[in-house]
Amino acid sequence: MNPKYIKYWIGLTLVLCVILGIKSFFIDPVKLDSPEKKEIVEQMQVIIDEQYDHSIFTTGIVKVRIIEVKADGPDNFKGHYRKYLLGIFPIGDTYFSSKEDMEGL
């Protein structure tokens, strides 16, 4: 393969990784535009911290970010969070409902 093409593909890969990083850090996380959302995010963060307490999560190799939350009744909420490898590469989505979580107890 021509070295010119290798440089092209390496450059393209780096540009795409930067774009993915910008998306992962700035576009994906939930926007806290109301006190209700902030309260739901705090509740969800407690649940996520309890569920993902392995060293792979505490060291930052895999990060968990809350993507979306919404109220589902007076005491219930729904949420969506995503796991990221090295904080950039998405590796899994999870949809959460406090109603379903409470039924499992």
Side-chain angles (χ1 to χ4, degrees):
M1 186 179 247
N2 189 345
K4 180 180 174 183
Y5 291 116
I6 293 174
K7 289 179 184 178
Y8 168 78
W9 286 111
I10 289 173
L12 181 64
T13 302
L14 292 174
V15 167
L16 291 175
C17 285
V18 168
I19 292 170
L20 182 62
I22 290 169
K23 177 198 145 315
S24 296
F25 282 109
F26 300 109
I27 297 173
D28 283 351
V30 68
K31 308 297 185 261
L32 300 176
D33 51 4
S34 71
E36 182 182 73
K37 272 190 176 181
K38 186 175 181 180
E39 183 180 324
I40 293 171
V41 166
E42 289 172 359
Q43 291 174 2
M44 240 178 118
Q45 192 62 52
V46 169
I47 294 167
I48 289 170
D49 290 342
E50 289 174 359
Q51 187 173 4
Y52 297 104
D53 62 349
H54 191 272
S55 63
I56 199 167
F57 295 99
T58 57
T59 59
I61 295 172
V62 176
K63 293 195 178 270
V64 179
R65 288 196 188 101
I66 300 170
I67 305 299
E68 183 182 357
V69 295
K70 67 179 180 177
D72 187 32
D75 294 329
N76 298 317
F77 59 90
K78 290 184 178 181
H80 170 205
Y81 58 91
R82 184 175 292 148
K83 295 178 274 303
Y84 292 88
L85 180 63
L86 303 177
I88 297 174
F89 304 103
I91 58 172
D93 286 299
T94 304
Y95 295 88
F96 179 84
S97 172
S98 63
K99 199 182 299 185
E100 291 173 9
D101 188 50
M102 296 307 277
E103 289 172 3
L105 293 176

